[in-house]
Amino acid sequence: MQKAVANLFYRARDYQHAGQACEKLGEWEAAARAYEKLDDHARAGACLIKADKIEQAAMVLDKGGQHGRAAQLYFRAGNAPNAAGALARAHDYFGAGQLWMRVNQPERAIQTLGRIPLSHPRSVMACGLMSEALVLLNRRNMACEKLKQAVEHHGITDPLTAELGYRWGRLAWEAGDAKQAQDAFTRVRTFDPAFKDATQCWEHISRG
């Protein structure tokens, strides 16, 4: 009887009552279809989660603009690329970049991380991750330039920025630019002479 009532509501395009009736019956996917007709993506997604249709729920929530929640569900469903896309739509470019690196797509990581301005609180970590992606693609000169820009913008004031300076120095040295490498290592050892082997690197370059 209740199922017949739900069907009547659906055929009458009374999707609100149809969805509610399906929920009472535990017909979660049918309820989700009804709520989708109303563009009630939140309720549709919730019903699909109850039906254990996790990736489908993610798609519905993503469509409804709940990109952060959609990303969590995509990841739970094992779809890291879609999770990365949803994070980018939620403007979590660092999280998206991390996922692109996790699925071995450094090019996508670079494109996404490149949307984070130097003024952003996570720009230091983003620059470090981008440098890793660029090195993976053998774009060492570009990685060196990105690290240099970040260090010149932020200075070296903590271990995270010191790591950027150290990587900048190593890449510049490997590229044969001793002057730039010395500049980078000088900045690092000014912050902490015992940071990795920055002082030894600086001394080696100074000796010529």
Side-chain angles (χ1 to χ4, degrees):
M1 178 66 179
Q2 285 183 321
K3 194 165 187 177
V5 170
N7 286 333
L8 283 172
F9 282 135
Y10 200 91
R11 286 197 293 272
R13 298 185 180 181
D14 185 349
Y15 299 120
Q16 182 69 36
H17 286 103
Q20 290 171 347
C22 289
E23 282 195 81
K24 288 178 182 177
L25 291 165
E27 298 283 348
W28 303 114
E29 290 183 76
R33 286 193 294 272
Y35 292 134
E36 278 195 84
K37 292 287 187 180
L38 297 170
D39 289 331
D40 190 343
H41 300 99
R43 292 187 73 177
C47 288
L48 288 166
I49 291 170
K50 289 178 181 178
D52 202 30
K53 300 292 182 181
I54 303 303
E55 188 159 6
Q56 194 175 339
M59 293 172 67
V60 168
L61 292 170
D62 206 3
K63 182 180 178 182
Q66 295 186 44
H67 307 304
R69 177 61 174 147
Q72 293 174 349
L73 294 174
Y74 280 131
F75 191 77
R76 178 175 158 188
N79 192 333
N82 276 11
L87 283 175
R89 286 187 287 279
H91 306 296
D92 182 357
Y93 301 122
F94 182 72
Q98 286 181 307
L99 279 181
W100 286 127
M101 288 293 282
R102 184 169 180 160
V103 295
N104 196 31
Q105 293 201 38
E107 187 68 61
R108 297 294 296 270
I110 292 164
Q111 292 170 3
T112 306
L113 294 165
R115 301 179 72 175
I116 300 174
L118 284 171
S119 57
H120 193 278
R122 303 188 83 176
S123 67
V124 171
M125 291 185 291
C127 181
L129 190 58
M130 184 186 284
S131 72
E132 292 174 25
L134 288 164
V135 168
L136 280 173
L137 294 173
N138 204 29
R139 300 178 190 170
R140 293 173 174 271
N141 288 342
M142 189 178 294
C144 191
E145 185 58 32
K146 291 290 181 184
L147 291 163
K148 179 175 182 264
Q149 288 173 2
V151 169
E152 289 179 341
H153 179 85
H154 294 286
I156 294 180
T157 57
D158 56 34
L160 282 176
T161 47
E163 178 62 29
L164 297 190
Y166 180 80
R167 292 186 190 183
W168 168 30
R170 294 295 307 193
L171 285 172
W173 196 6
E174 289 168 12
D177 191 338
K179 184 178 180 181
Q180 188 174 169
Q182 190 173 37
D183 180 21
F185 290 130
T186 296
R187 294 175 191 236
V188 175
R189 67 194 293 268
T190 298
F191 165 72
D192 180 3
F195 189 86
K196 294 189 172 180
D197 61 344
T199 294
Q200 292 91 324
C201 292
W202 181 87
E203 290 173 347
H204 187 89
I205 294 168
S206 298
R207 288 195 298 268

